[in-house]
Amino acid sequence: MSAIAPPNPVLPDARGRFGTYGGRYVPEVLIPALDELAEAWTALRDDPGFRTELDGLLRHFVGRPTPITHARRLSGELGYEIWLKREDLAHTGAHKINNALGQALLAKRLGKERIIAETGAGQHGVAAATACALLGLPCVVYMGEEDTHRQAPNVERMKLLGADVVPVTAGTKTLKEAVNEALRDWAATVTTTHYIIGSVVGPHPFPALVRDLQRVIGDEARRQFAEARSADPEYVVACVGGGSNAIGMFTAFVGAQGVSLIGVEAGGRGMNLGEHCASITQGQPGVLHGALSYLLQDRDGQVVETHSISAGLDYPGVGPEHAYLHDAGLATYVSATDAQALEGFQALARTEGILPALEPSHVIGWLITRPLPPGSTVLVCLSGRGDKDLDTVRAALGARSGG
């Protein structure tokens, strides 16, 4: 197993652009750090010592490769052949550890003395805190105050792992504001601090760096599916917020003949602005957190408030590579509502004995609508487990039942 397969030979370009998207829209104080990071990653990505160290940790600490599971009962109900890439079985319970561990190792190679991170659903914060505990690095995690309440168990996990969790009280008190605060911190402490961004967002080289560390998901899954079925799946589907699990899954299949890539965004309570997080299907190009991509904005170009039952998808933008894949026709993006996500959560629990995170529950909820031809083979990235979401799910189901 190699944690880092060869990168896309074309994208991003030298300016960090995926077509017209991506780039760097940041204060000048961050440019030297971004240049240092880009140069270091170019050198270390193919360095045998770095790859061997990371591969060893992913195998013996994270538990890779994660398996793929044939969801037989769910498949029988929906009329598809559904396979699940089980990132919920990775250490810490989600795909986020792949990126956090790789970036923490990179930070040590750069001589950084401190790590900061942002988190929404808490899984990236837990992953960053875990990697820092393993490698002996101090860690500060910025988290929207609203998310600290709906993801309280993950807050406690981060604290037990030694991280300092900083609630962010500005704006909507969710992921966007957490990123804002982390960027402010980094600008002030850039010489000693590395910022482990949790998704394929932000200024170059972060979208490519995170993709390279997450593509282990898709590289494993494509091999595993071929071993099981002697073919590629017809559809590869993943949830999309910032989009790291989806890019990690899609990259191995981009351009593959007969394979359709589908990203499922958070449709929230409906398609009125402020009620959802469907940045690609409902947004317009704009600049957010240092990169040009699709984002949700008003007529004046101001970023708007968003809503999703899932803290991890509650973000008004999307990674620039997803914007490129959309415009190039290489991937299709759809949405699923809060109600559909809850239905997906319950369906997978009932039929397969798996409690999914609310993020990939959007994919299951979308599949329940039977949007694909009967008999289709479908590979789903099950990006995380649902322990963190039980209070949210119980509250939502109780509200719906009047209990």
Side-chain angles (χ1 to χ4, degrees), residues 325-341:
L325 292 175
H326 170 267
D327 285 9
L330 293 170
T332 300
Y333 295 83
V334 298
S335 66
T337 65
D338 288 353
Q340 289 171 325

Side-chain angles (χ1 to χ4, degrees), residues 119-365:
T119 195
Q123 286 302 116
H124 174 60
V126 168
T130 298
C132 288
L134 178 68
L135 299 176
L137 290 166
C139 182
V140 176
V141 180
Y142 290 96
M143 189 174 190
E145 186 180 51
E146 173 66 21
D147 292 338
T148 65
H149 298 315
R150 57 178 172 174
Q151 298 295 331
N154 275 340
V155 173
E156 295 306 312
R157 292 171 73 192
M158 286 183 267
K159 290 179 178 178
L160 286 169
L161 289 161
D164 181 12
V165 182
V166 179
V168 179
T169 59
T172 59
K173 306 177 185 179
T174 55
L175 182 57
K176 176 173 70 71
E177 285 73 30
V179 176
N180 288 342
E181 288 303 311
L183 285 169
R184 290 190 187 99
D185 183 323
W186 196 35
T189 62
V190 68
T191 57
T192 59
T193 297
H194 175 66
Y195 176 16
I196 300 183
I197 284 183
S199 195
V200 285
V201 298
H204 175 68
F206 282 111
L209 167 59
V210 177
R211 175 198 64 193
D212 291 347
L213 290 169
Q214 290 292 8
R215 68 167 295 163
V216 65
I217 302 170
D219 290 333
E220 286 178 4
R222 191 171 188 183
R223 289 194 298 269
Q224 291 165 326
F225 195 89
E227 290 170 0
R229 296 283 281 102
S230 301
D232 279 332
E234 294 171 294
Y235 297 92
V236 176
V237 194
C239 62
V240 176
S244 64
N245 89 95
I247 283 294
M249 191 71 156
F250 290 175
T251 299
F253 295 94
V254 171
Q257 187 173 2
V259 180
S260 296
L261 308 179
I262 301 174
V264 183
E265 298 188 295
R269 292 184 287 250
M271 287 298 103
N272 291 326
L273 201 61
E275 295 291 296
H276 62 83
C277 304
S279 304
I280 295 181
T281 55
Q282 299 294 318
Q284 298 292 329
V287 174
L288 178 65
H289 295 145
L292 175 66
S293 188
Y294 280 99
L295 64 140
L296 297 170
Q297 51 193 315
D298 62 21
R299 292 179 180 179
D300 296 322
Q302 298 299 308
V303 178
V304 300
E305 294 186 3
T306 55
H307 164 77
S308 173
I309 194 172
S310 163
L313 301 183
D314 199 353
Y315 185 68
V318 68
E321 190 165 6
H322 282 293
Y324 166 77
L325 292 175
H326 170 267
D327 285 9
L330 293 170
T332 300
Y333 295 83
V334 298
S335 66
T337 65
D338 288 353
Q340 289 171 325
L342 285 169
E343 189 176 359
F345 185 101
Q346 295 174 91
L348 197 63
R350 174 177 51 81
T351 61
E352 302 297 335
I354 298 170
L355 295 178
L358 278 171
E359 290 83 7
S361 294
H362 284 73
V363 176
I364 306 301

Side-chain angles (χ1 to χ4, degrees), residues 69-140:
T69 298
H70 185 198
R72 288 181 172 83
R73 293 191 61 221
L74 183 65
S75 297
E77 286 195 8
L78 300 184
Y80 301 137
E81 184 182 334
I82 300 171
W83 292 75
L84 309 172
K85 178 56 172 167
R86 300 292 305 280
E87 292 302 289
D88 60 311
L89 295 180
H91 180 47
T92 71
H95 69 292
K96 295 293 188 181
I97 190 66
N98 307 321
N99 168 58
L101 195 55
Q103 285 204 53
L105 279 179
L106 177 57
K108 290 209 75 166
R109 296 291 185 103
L110 289 172
K112 301 299 182 181
E113 302 167 0
R114 174 176 175 265
I115 297 295
I116 60 173
E118 90 296 325
T119 195
Q123 286 302 116
H124 174 60
V126 168
T130 298
C132 288
L134 178 68
L135 299 176
L137 290 166
C139 182
V140 176

Side-chain angles (χ1 to χ4, degrees), residues 369-394:
T369 68
R370 294 178 173 82
L372 304 176
S376 296
T377 56
V378 185
L379 178 60
V380 172
C381 185
L382 193 68
S383 58
R385 67 177 186 236
D387 311 46
K388 67 183 179 63
D389 294 317
L390 290 181
D391 287 345
T392 300
V393 170
R394 289 174 61 197

Side-chain angles (χ1 to χ4, degrees), residues 4 36-45 50 106 208-209 212-213:
I4 313 158
E36 177 188 44
L37 186 61
E39 291 169 9
W41 182 238
T42 298
L44 287 176
R45 185 174 54 206
F50 181 83
L106 177 57
L209 167 59
D212 291 347
L213 290 169

